[in-house]
Amino acid sequence: MFDRAVVWLVNNRVLLPGITTLVRMVAAVRQEENDRLHAALYEAVPYGLRTEMVRLLEVPEKKRISELERLRLGPMRVSGKAMEHALDRAREVRGLGAGAVDVGRFPAARMTGLARYGLSSKAPTLKRPEVTRQTATLLAAVRHLESATVDDALDLLHALMATKLLAKAERMGNDAKLKALPQLRKAAKKVAAAADVLMTTPPATEAGEMVSVVDAWSAIEEVVPREQLAAALATIAAVVPDADGDDDAEWRAELVARYGTMRGFIRLLVEVIDFGAVAGWEPAGPGGRCRGGPEWVFEGVARTP
């Protein structure tokens, strides 16, 4: 706007006012527009919410930072306990009620700018502006935190699943396979020795008599006793899955065993985060049935993906 005004003045050979006067005029117009925005946002915020947001600027007793600065801090560790804290943080921010304020008629870019300023400023700085600007800034900041805290919780859930649950379960499943290798090797040697005897035994004697099963077993037992061969076959059957078996059985078993990592926050997850549904889907109905597609089920609580 400033550049266009300068071009118009030059094209129309207007020598006065000068650049400094133009700067003051543009600044005055912008300030007036900001004041109208702040006043409109102030009027849109209920009194109770204004009070709660101002309290966020206070530093609780025996604490070093304000409540707003505490809520701005995302999770620092990847653990089930950190996930609980992240969900509690998201629920606390949403509980303030800033998301219920209708800001649809206000420019999104201006709301983003206010939120950026509010989230990057210290509490003492946010105490200084007049009440309308302070309320508008805190409203934008808290509304941004509502989505940011949910994003932080979901990012932490992804990291937790990838590092603490899936990866560790896969690693422990592989460890279980490695532990079974020595037993499998011994059992395979015994079975191979028995099979070698059976394959090298001729079907008939030099006199033309057919070799009986009893004679074949006698030759095998000279190499591997029948009891040891039976134990070797049992070991192979236990370690090696059949053709229709699950190659990832050990991994899945470890995954189930590590469910305790998520047990502490899984119900809180679906209480705090509304997963909703994508276009073409419908929310889960009574009894956990989802009309229109599959559902996620967390300890009997159904949510659509």
Side-chain angles (χ1 to χ4, degrees):
M1 184 173 65
F2 181 82
D3 291 340
R4 287 180 178 272
V6 171
V7 171
W8 187 91
L9 291 172
V10 172
N11 290 338
N12 290 274
R13 298 181 179 180
V14 177
L15 300 180
L16 295 175
I19 296 297
T20 55
T21 302
L22 184 60
V23 169
R24 289 194 295 269
M25 290 175 59
V26 173
V29 172
R30 293 191 61 185
Q31 184 61 47
E32 183 180 351
E33 190 273 337
N34 287 335
D35 292 341
R36 287 200 304 267
L37 175 67
H38 298 157
L41 286 171
Y42 176 83
E43 293 297 330
V45 178
Y47 175 77
L49 177 56
R50 295 177 203 163
T51 305
E52 290 298 321
M53 291 193 302
V54 171
R55 288 178 182 173
L56 295 178
L57 303 179
E58 301 297 330
V59 179
E61 187 178 357
K62 297 183 180 180
K63 300 292 183 180
R64 300 180 60 184
I65 60 176
S66 66
E67 288 296 281
L68 180 61
E69 293 174 88
R70 177 181 64 83
L71 293 175
R72 290 192 312 211
L73 296 176
M76 306 298 291
R77 302 180 59 185
V78 179
S79 66
K81 197 67 176 177
M83 187 67 197
E84 290 185 47
H85 291 323
L87 291 172
D88 287 335
R89 170 175 170 249
R91 180 168 57 182
E92 183 178 354
V93 172
R94 189 178 64 179
L96 293 172
V101 178
D102 183 12
V103 296
R105 59 192 178 95
F106 301 103
R110 298 303 310 277
M111 296 297 296
T112 301
L114 286 171
R116 187 182 299 112
Y117 175 76
L119 294 174
S120 61
S121 301
K122 298 292 185 180
T125 303
L126 295 176
K127 289 181 179 180
R128 296 169 190 162
E130 58 184 8
V131 65
T132 54
R133 181 184 176 188
Q134 182 189 70
T135 301
T137 303
L138 290 175
L139 175 66
V142 174
R143 285 179 62 88
H144 179 82
L145 277 176
E146 284 194 4
S147 58
T149 53
V150 172
D151 290 343
D152 288 344
L154 293 178
D155 288 342
L156 180 58
L157 176 64
H158 178 269
L160 188 63
M161 292 284 290
T163 60
K164 298 293 185 179
L165 193 65
L166 300 179
K168 185 165 286 189
E170 182 177 5
R171 185 167 61 252
M172 296 185 72
N174 292 336
D175 290 344
K177 290 181 180 179
L178 292 175
K179 289 180 181 179
L181 282 180
Q183 297 178 351
L184 182 61
R185 188 182 297 110
K186 292 179 180 178
K189 285 183 178 180
K190 292 180 180 180
V191 173
D196 181 65
V197 172
L198 183 62
M199 294 179 67
T200 56
T201 299
T205 63
E206 295 180 355
E209 297 180 358
M210 299 296 295
V211 176
S212 65
V213 176
V214 175
D215 293 336
W217 266 114
S218 297
I220 291 173
E221 289 187 323
E222 290 180 0
V223 178
V224 182
R226 183 175 302 195
E227 294 79 6
Q228 294 184 14
L229 184 60
L233 290 173
T235 299
I236 293 174
V239 175
V240 180
D242 54 26
D244 299 328
D246 187 359
D247 293 336
D248 295 325
E250 293 86 357
W251 175 79
R252 297 183 188 280
E254 290 295 337
L255 188 64
V256 173
R258 298 194 63 78
Y259 176 66
T261 305
M262 303 180 64
R263 186 185 301 276
F265 64 82
I266 203 68
R267 185 173 295 276
L268 182 62
L269 178 68
V270 295
E271 290 176 358
V272 173
I273 300 177
D274 183 10
F275 289 97
V278 297
W281 296 67
E282 296 181 23
R289 294 184 178 182
C290 179
R291 302 182 300 276
E295 71 269 17
W296 289 353
V297 180
F298 295 114
E299 294 188 351
V301 182
R303 290 291 186 273
T304 56

